[in-house]
Amino acid sequence: KQWYQRRVRGALHSLSFILELLLIIIPFILSSALTLSLTQSNMDQIYKEMKVAWMNEKCSPEILPFQSSLYTQLTEELSKQQEIITQGVSNVQEQFIAHLYEMEAERVKYILRSYLRIRLSKIDKYFMYILKNQDVLSNLSEQEVTYAQRYCDLIESHFTNSFLANIPEPLRKLTESNADYDMVTKPDLDTHIFCRVEKTVGKLQWDDSESVGLEEGDLYLIRYKPIKPLVQNGSVRL
């Protein structure tokens, strides 16, 4: 019985210590969170929109329009939050709060870096197709256009020095296409993708003989090409 009472008193003492610690930490956490609430609220909304753009880019077979406004806003909000965190750190407790926000900032940075890497991988794969089509080229940022042009120049220079200079000139073309074959790699717009309807669209013509009704909240495994304009205007997300 005495052993049991000692165990109970020990547990109560530990619980009391934990409650006292929480009473000290929680008010500080709440006050620190309020300092960053406005910046964090702005970032949360922009982050959600950027995450949608990232997933669309990741799942789309083609390169989509660069989300310049979202990307710029999110990087600016990250800079503001970093300044607030740095200025507000003066003791151990504030360092703990700052560490939590830094972890959140790293999550945002991952999305931004991944978004750019996915786009660059598509440029590497479809650079000839992109540079030949002005409508597709307009989807790129200025930096991406420069990258695509330089990448194309390097590939052509490498191929010429490696083997093209040693074969007949009529066979040196890298962009030749005809009814039998096409040397330019293009994205397959007829590939099937999963999508979620964000806004009710109504009937969508699937092909010449079939149509499908797109209602808000519906999930579909569908060909990309028919829903391409809906992805770009935000009615459908991938």
Side-chain angles (χ1 to χ4, degrees):
K1 184 177 180 180
Q2 292 178 351
W3 174 84
Y4 177 75
Q5 290 176 343
R6 287 197 299 271
R7 292 295 298 271
V8 171
R9 284 197 297 270
L12 292 174
H13 178 74
S14 298
L15 181 60
S16 176
F17 173 77
I18 293 173
L19 290 175
E20 290 177 1
L21 184 62
L22 288 175
L23 289 174
I24 295 172
I25 293 176
I26 289 177
F28 176 78
I29 292 178
L30 292 176
S31 62
S32 299
L34 288 174
T35 304
L36 292 170
S37 61
L38 180 59
T39 300
Q40 188 64 27
S41 177
N42 292 340
M43 182 181 290
D44 285 346
Q45 182 58 36
I46 301 170
Y47 172 74
K48 290 177 182 178
E49 295 176 9
M50 190 68 221
K51 190 175 180 181
V52 172
W54 169 60
M55 286 301 298
N56 285 343
E57 193 68 61
K58 188 174 184 179
C59 299
S60 169
E62 65 171 348
I63 191 163
L64 299 174
F66 180 67
Q67 299 296 322
S68 176
S69 177
L70 282 178
Y71 187 87
T72 302
Q73 290 181 63
L74 196 53
T75 52
E76 289 176 351
E77 289 295 334
L78 276 174
S79 299
K80 291 178 183 178
Q81 180 165 303
Q82 190 61 46
E83 290 177 3
I84 294 175
I85 292 172
T86 304
Q87 294 172 359
V89 174
S90 60
N91 53 51
V92 176
Q93 291 90 343
E94 289 180 350
Q95 289 177 359
F96 174 73
I97 299 300
H99 180 65
L100 294 180
Y101 280 99
E102 285 174 356
M103 291 175 61
E104 179 68 15
E106 286 301 317
R107 186 167 67 118
V108 175
K109 290 177 184 177
Y110 169 79
I111 296 293
L112 295 176
R113 289 193 292 262
S114 178
Y115 178 70
L116 295 179
R117 283 197 299 267
I118 292 168
R119 293 181 62 83
L120 288 178
S121 68
K122 291 182 179 180
I123 293 173
D124 290 347
K125 188 174 182 180
Y126 305 120
F127 67 95
M128 288 188 180
Y129 168 76
I130 291 172
L131 293 174
K132 284 180 60 179
N133 294 271
Q134 189 60 41
D135 290 342
V136 181
L137 187 63
S138 64
N139 290 340
L140 275 59
S141 66
E142 293 183 8
Q143 294 84 354
E144 289 172 337
V145 171
T146 301
Y147 173 83
Q149 291 170 339
R150 292 183 62 185
Y151 184 78
C152 181
D153 292 341
L154 288 173
I155 291 294
E156 289 182 345
S157 175
H158 172 68
F159 285 174
T160 298
N161 295 331
S162 298
F163 62 90
L164 289 180
N166 300 319
I167 62 177
E169 186 171 349
L171 301 178
R172 296 179 187 178
K173 297 179 180 179
L174 296 176
T175 59
E176 185 175 352
S177 61
N178 55 44
D180 298 325
Y181 66 93
D182 190 347
M183 295 180 64
V184 178
T185 304
K186 302 177 181 179
D188 182 9
L189 301 184
D190 287 321
T191 188
H192 284 70
I193 49 87
F194 285 99
C195 68
R196 176 186 177 88
V197 182
E198 296 294 299
K199 302 175 184 176
T200 299
V201 177
K203 291 292 183 180
L204 174 70
Q205 197 66 31
W206 171 260
D207 54 29
D208 294 337
S209 59
E210 295 184 14
S211 62
V212 60
L214 301 182
E215 301 292 333
E216 182 178 350
D218 287 349
L219 299 175
Y220 288 96
L221 174 60
I222 193 171
R223 282 194 307 122
Y224 173 76
K225 192 172 184 178
I227 66 166
K228 173 181 175 178
L230 302 180
V231 173
Q232 295 190 7
N233 67 24
S235 298
V236 171
R237 59 177 292 187
L238 306 183

